Amino acid sequence: MRETTVIRLKEDIQLENATLLVGLPGVGHVGKLVVDHLIEKLDAEKVFEIYSPHFPPQVMVNEESTVKLVNNEIYVCKANGNDIVLLAGDHQSTSTEGHYELGTIYIDIAEELGVKRIFTLGGYPTGQLTHTDEVMGASNDLDMVTELKEYEVTFKPNEPGGGIVGASGLLLGLSMFKNIKAACLMGLTSGYLVDPKSAQALLALLSKILNIEVDVSELEERAKDMEKIVANLMEAKQQQQQQQPEMLRDTATDEDLRYIG
Amino acid sequence: MRETTVIRLKEDIQLENATLLVGLPGVGHVGKLVVDHLIEKLDAEKVFEIYSPHFPPQVMVNEESTVKLVNNEIYVCKANGNDIVLLAGDHQSTSTEGHYELGTIYIDIAEELGVKRIFTLGGYPTGQLTHTDEVMGASNDLDMVTELKEYEVTFKPNEPGGGIVGASGLLLGLSMFKNIKAACLMGLTSGYLVDPKSAQALLALLSKILNIEVDVSELEERAKDMEKIVANLMEAKQQQQQQQPEMLRDTATDEDLRYIG
Amino acid sequence: MRETTVIRLKEDIQLENATLLVGLPGVGHVGKLVVDHLIEKLDAEKVFEIYSPHFPPQVMVNEESTVKLVNNEIYVCKANGNDIVLLAGDHQSTSTEGHYELGTIYIDIAEELGVKRIFTLGGYPTGQLTHTDEVMGASNDLDMVTELKEYEVTFKPNEPGGGIVGASGLLLGLSMFKNIKAACLMGLTSGYLVDPKSAQALLALLSKILNIEVDVSELEERAKDMEKIVANLMEAKQQQQQQQPEMLRDTATDEDLRYIG
Amino acid sequence: MRETTVIRLKEDIQLENATLLVGLPGVGHVGKLVVDHLIEKLDAEKVFEIYSPHFPPQVMVNEESTVKLVNNEIYVCKANGNDIVLLAGDHQSTSTEGHYELGTIYIDIAEELGVKRIFTLGGYPTGQLTHTDEVMGASNDLDMVTELKEYEVTFKPNEPGGGIVGASGLLLGLSMFKNIKAACLMGLTSGYLVDPKSAQALLALLSKILNIEVDVSELEERAKDMEKIVANLMEAKQQQQQQQPEMLRDTATDEDLRYIG
């Protein structure tokens, strides 16, 4: 495999007014948690496998100790009358050029499937261990901004200040060339930990927007486990700060947290 | 978008003896500040958009929370009878090969537009927080060196010692193959901070060279704000040096400053 | 040489039900030690040389001070009636894209030679200086997992947790597209040192699976030498821990070991 | 310029039994110092310029403040009846693939010019600030090893242990495919400093091998200046070791030296 290879698993895919949800690995794995959860709960059908030399040379090992070459996958499902397309995967591109190539492939597939709007899902790193269930947004379409404000998505001028990097951002940009509306929804998250709590908040919002109902009990449980870990971390951080010589305090604790995520 | 894509927004572009000004992000963002300022104040017209897999996979978020795929753009305007072409953008190439590809595209466009001379604008890092309003130069043409000395551009043999890296340097080199005269003008700047003060000095010089008048009040205001920040930084640095154990002094304060820019 | 170049040293290669063993440099050089040892002891014949711009720009210097351009090589031999193909080499690809290109070339050659099963050999880093002679496995085929359990290969669900990266993993994935069964066998090793002891354990297991006998005296000797080094290291580590200020203990000793491998 | 571009400055180049000397930037800039010196002293004629997207996007600034796009250059000259080809340049390739592409171009040119033997010149890093005037060698041809031993080139089995990386090594490897004999000659050098003293020793050896005489007074002068710097460094190092807390001694002084080169 010297080139990106798209394997189509189903010939005849009929969708109407479909919405594409993108949940690839990223900050706090928030987007990935949401889309992987939806694929399972909505019993979505896999219709494309994408393999590429722009993914790492790597296999993942599953429960039976058998392996799977890392890839991205596209699923479809119907929920409360809506056609939903889901893009999930083990990795984003390892190279800049690969990001553009894969992004172009995804938008071409979206166009072919008649996708009318795209939500790319991700995390917004706050650097704080705790935060409210806020979801930040940005869009390639001003009407979409107005519409999403009604769902209490937070929009701040020029934020994120450094733009949105990676597939979540790039797909907003590339879809403009195909006149597909797209928004990025980012759950607030520390940036240090895989964050099921942020995913839960993002999924709740998304369910309202899509007008669907999804069982979130598993995410909820993982979120509770995570809250315990955070509580322990914060306690440890506090103790550490009291024990350390003063000049090392801030940097040392930040470093420690960074290695957890 | 798998390849660099040039979108031409205007078919018939008639210029005479045009001068190209290049202001891409770089040291102190000096060049970018000058060119972005000129585009606004001279009411320049956008005539090309350049998108490329050699730019980061990223969108910028604007005031309305809508996004723009990172790109470079070419504008044209007329000022005091001079035809001016301006190259601005969010990023330089992320790869070495991309630098050469994009540089070649820019010089080909410059040639097509009949550009007769090029000024690439940038910053010259001094490592000092304060400095005079000096502008350093280098050129691909000895006559241009002589001419620019009359405008009090500083030329020092073999400086910068490490050459000029990035678009500002490469475009001087590539334009030689098309026999286009080009000079790099570098405003002295600390290298740690975005520097509107250096941009103001560079713009003043450039206005003399081009024989144009530009309102600089906004840059002036930003330069004053920046001077306050620098004053605070220097005070903080002084205090820090007095408090720190001696062996950590120099490196620690340098590190701190580096994170500000 | 601008492209990967495969030099075929023998036209007519007749194999039956061949097994491919892959031993490229990696964790503890375990796989490389085993395959290089087998090539020597089984008097295998070199049939392919692979050169590539994806290998480092480097020559190796041999005993006579003459050089060899870094490459990968494919050997064949017959042992106790089995046809064995061996892939050895100085380096893995330096780039992600190169990994996919070279991996595809290897699997194409394996298919052409009628290879029926593949064992990629490597090390499994434990972070501990000492450990038992365990071999971990993962496969692209569930029957192969069952079969290898009979040889006391350890299989753990979802382990290694980060998947298997590099040629050892990728070849498991790419061979699935050609319906070739493949397993990765990983000898437990510290991850800090070239590990002939782990190689010896892996070779013993492999000999049982292939039903062949191989003289391991050299590996044994090197393993004994290594055990002495490890004993010295552990003693040094212990002393170091007693001497160091408490807060530096763990990180410092880990760092030291890392530089040995 | 999207591709490597070879500009031929002279059509008819007639050489006999030519020797190619390669002196690109590298350890201690030993090879570059020797070849740049020879080009000047032997009044060599430039016959090829090579520009490439695999070089950094950079111009060098010369004495008149005019610029030159970084490149590699090939010169020819006749010295004491010998035809000599010299490869010099500002940089080596920035990418692995570029190394192979440029190396192939150089060997193709060498073949076309009828080059019969190649010496790639470099430095051999010892980590010590002072050392004898020794030159290490490696070759792609056993006869050449024997011959060079007569000139007191040092050959050690399997050394350098990590092979020879970069153009100096790669060209030995690539020239084997064209049946051109090649040796790498490496002057011993600290690895921390640009080393005219090592260059002087290497040039003296090379002059014997080529049976030519070259004025080395400039290199000698630079070598003397350098010896003073080294003497100062060693004194500084000694003082520093006496002042520093014991646990920081070795690493700190090594770090310091590394920033000088």
Side-chain angles (χ1 to χ4, degrees), chain B residues 67-218:
Chain B
V67 300
K68 166 183 167 277
L69 185 56
V70 296
N71 69 353
N72 283 2
E73 300 179 336
I74 294 176
Y75 293 78
V76 294
C77 67
K78 206 179 266 294
N80 195 20
N82 297 304
D83 277 324
I84 301 177
V85 182
L86 303 112
L87 170 58
D90 305 301
H91 281 279
Q92 297 206 12
S93 167
T94 58
S95 73
T96 292
E97 291 81 1
H99 264 297
Y100 278 84
E101 181 183 310
L102 289 165
T104 303
I105 288 172
Y106 299 147
I107 296 299
D108 284 350
I109 291 177
E111 191 187 31
E112 192 219 311
L113 296 180
V115 164
K116 294 297 177 216
R117 89 189 148 164
I118 299 173
F119 292 109
T120 65
L121 309 177
Y124 184 91
T126 63
Q128 305 296 321
L129 276 176
T130 55
H131 44 73
T132 57
D133 284 350
E134 207 176 335
V135 173
M136 290 272 296
S139 173
N140 66 13
D141 181 86
L142 198 54
D143 290 346
M144 213 170 175
V145 172
T146 312
E147 185 192 342
L148 287 170
K149 277 178 179 168
E150 289 169 28
Y151 292 96
E152 298 191 4
V153 176
T154 309
F155 290 91
K156 291 189 186 165
N158 304 307
E159 284 215 19
I164 305 170
V165 182
S168 280
L170 183 60
L171 292 176
L172 296 202
L174 292 177
S175 53
M176 294 175 84
F177 295 103
K178 301 285 189 181
N179 293 314
I180 303 177
K181 288 184 184 186
C184 181
L185 299 175
M186 293 160 276
L188 261 57
T189 181
S190 68
Y192 303 135
L193 299 149
V194 171
D195 192 344
K197 190 164 174 295
S198 177
Q200 202 192 337
L202 180 51
L203 181 53
L205 174 79
L206 200 62
S207 300
K208 274 190 218 157
I209 297 174
L210 299 175
N211 193 24
I212 59 175
E213 264 178 55
V214 186
D215 171 12
V216 298
S217 50
E218 277 168 48

Side-chain angles (χ1 to χ4, degrees), chain A residues 131-204:
Chain A
H131 44 74
T132 57
D133 284 349
E134 208 176 334
V135 173
M136 289 270 297
S139 173
N140 65 14
D141 180 86
L142 198 54
D143 291 346
M144 211 169 176
V145 172
T146 312
E147 185 192 340
L148 288 169
K149 278 179 179 167
E150 289 169 29
Y151 291 97
E152 297 192 2
V153 176
T154 307
F155 289 91
K156 292 188 187 165
N158 305 307
E159 283 214 19
I164 305 171
V165 182
S168 281
L170 183 60
L171 291 175
L172 297 202
L174 291 177
S175 53
M176 293 175 84
F177 294 101
K178 300 286 189 181
N179 292 313
I180 303 177
K181 289 183 185 187
C184 181
L185 299 174
M186 295 160 275
L188 261 56
T189 181
S190 68
Y192 303 134
L193 299 149
V194 171
D195 192 345
K197 191 164 173 294
S198 177
Q200 201 191 339
L202 181 52
L203 181 54

Side-chain angles (χ1 to χ4, degrees), chain C residues 8-245:
Chain C
R8 189 181 192 122
L9 305 172
K10 188 180 183 184
E11 266 321 302
D12 191 32
I13 308 168
Q14 298 287 353
L15 306 176
E16 219 168 315
N17 275 323
T19 298
L20 169 62
L21 305 179
V22 178
L24 296 172
V27 180
H29 276 215
V30 177
K32 179 171 172 55
L33 285 169
V34 171
V35 164
D36 287 357
H37 187 84
L38 282 171
I39 287 168
E40 196 192 329
K41 293 303 167 192
L42 299 178
D43 203 16
E45 178 187 9
K46 184 158 68 172
V47 290
F48 288 99
E49 287 178 356
I50 298 103
Y51 298 90
S52 175
H54 298 296
F55 294 136
Q58 184 182 4
V59 288
M60 306 306 288
V61 183
N62 58 28
E63 288 221 346
E64 293 86 30
S65 294
T66 56
V67 300
K68 167 184 167 275
L69 184 58
V70 295
N71 70 352
N72 282 2
E73 301 179 336
I74 294 176
Y75 292 78
V76 295
C77 68
K78 208 179 266 295
N80 196 18
N82 297 303
D83 277 324
I84 300 177
V85 182
L86 302 112
L87 170 57
D90 305 301
H91 280 278
Q92 297 206 11
S93 168
T94 58
S95 73
T96 293
E97 291 81 3
H99 264 297
Y100 277 84
E101 182 183 310
L102 290 165
T104 303
I105 288 171
Y106 300 147
I107 296 298
D108 285 349
I109 291 177
E111 190 187 31
E112 192 219 308
L113 296 180
V115 163
K116 294 297 177 216
R117 91 189 148 162
I118 299 172
F119 292 109
T120 66
L121 309 177
Y124 184 92
T126 62
Q128 305 296 321
L129 275 176
T130 54
H131 44 75
T132 57
D133 284 350
E134 208 176 333
V135 173
M136 289 271 298
S139 173
N140 66 13
D141 180 87
L142 199 52
D143 290 346
M144 212 170 176
V145 173
T146 312
E147 185 193 340
L148 287 169
K149 278 180 179 167
E150 289 170 27
Y151 290 97
E152 299 192 1
V153 176
T154 308
F155 290 91
K156 292 189 186 164
N158 305 308
E159 284 214 20
I164 305 170
V165 182
S168 281
L170 183 60
L171 291 175
L172 297 201
L174 292 176
S175 54
M176 293 175 84
F177 294 103
K178 301 286 188 181
N179 293 314
I180 303 178
K181 289 183 183 186
C184 180
L185 299 175
M186 293 160 276
L188 261 56
T189 181
S190 68
Y192 303 133
L193 300 150
V194 171
D195 192 345
K197 190 164 175 293
S198 178
Q200 202 192 339
L202 180 51
L203 180 53
L205 173 80
L206 199 62
S207 301
K208 273 190 217 157
I209 296 173
L210 299 175
N211 193 25
I212 60 175
E213 264 178 55
V214 186
D215 170 14
V216 297
S217 50
E218 277 168 47
L219 268 183
E220 222 163 77
E221 214 160 300
R222 289 187 61 182
K224 275 179 198 157
D225 289 348
M226 184 212 155
E227 282 188 321
K228 282 178 209 154
I229 295 171
V230 168
N232 289 342
L233 277 175
M234 293 189 68
E235 204 180 326
K237 188 179 169 178
Q238 220 173 351
Q239 285 178 3
Q240 208 174 10
Q241 282 180 335
Q242 286 163 0
Q243 285 165 7
Q244 274 181 335

